[in-house]
Amino acid sequence: MPVEAAQQLVTVYHAITHPMRRRILEALLAGEAPAMSLARGSSASALSQHLTVLKRAGLVRERRQGRQRLYSIRPEPLFEPFAWLSQYEMFWQGKLGQLGDYLEGTHGNTHAKD
């Protein structure tokens, strides 16, 4: 992997590690939104910092309309990390299956005692 691509991947991972930035991305799934509608309990300064991190990672696009700044999601930078993580899905599925079996067994045992 070229150094620039690796650095971009690190930038994307860093951007999605913060819960507020993930909430911003989730809000933008519904479509373009003005900055202040994304604040939800966050100060304008903190929101601005989070949006800067997301823009640097290429995860959001900013568009000015008059005095307003509108933001929209750019999911393309998430494709590579998703592809990489999806190769481990077989481990999660197996563990979830085992958990389901365990819970069904425990659940069944609870009813057997009633």
Side-chain angles (χ1 to χ4, degrees):
M1 176 182 287
V3 174
E4 298 85 27
Q7 183 56 44
Q8 177 61 23
L9 199 54
V10 169
T11 303
V12 169
Y13 281 131
H14 169 71
I16 61 176
T17 58
H18 196 282
M20 179 63 186
R21 292 192 287 265
R22 289 194 306 270
R23 280 194 297 272
I24 291 169
L25 292 173
E26 289 168 10
L28 292 174
L29 286 173
E32 189 175 60
M36 290 317 295
S37 74
L38 302 170
R40 295 191 187 173
S42 187
S43 70
S45 174
L47 176 65
S48 177
Q49 290 174 356
H50 288 306
L51 286 168
T52 297
V53 171
L54 291 168
K55 284 189 296 186
R56 234 183 256 138
L59 292 167
V60 297
R61 177 180 304 116
E62 177 184 279
R63 180 176 72 85
R64 293 176 190 247
Q65 182 176 4
R67 300 178 84 187
Q68 227 178 31
R69 292 180 186 194
L70 300 171
Y71 292 88
S72 58
I73 192 166
R74 289 191 63 244
E76 297 85 3
L78 293 171
F79 294 166
E80 188 173 343
F82 178 77
W84 182 79
L85 283 171
S86 67
Q87 66 187 339
Y88 296 95
E89 186 175 5
M90 66 181 156
F91 297 113
W92 303 328
Q93 293 299 325
K95 295 296 181 191
L96 290 173
Q98 290 173 0
L99 176 61
D101 292 345
Y102 172 77
L103 292 175
E104 285 177 12
T106 303
H107 184 69
N109 291 338
T110 302
H111 286 301
K113 294 177 183 178
D114 289 341

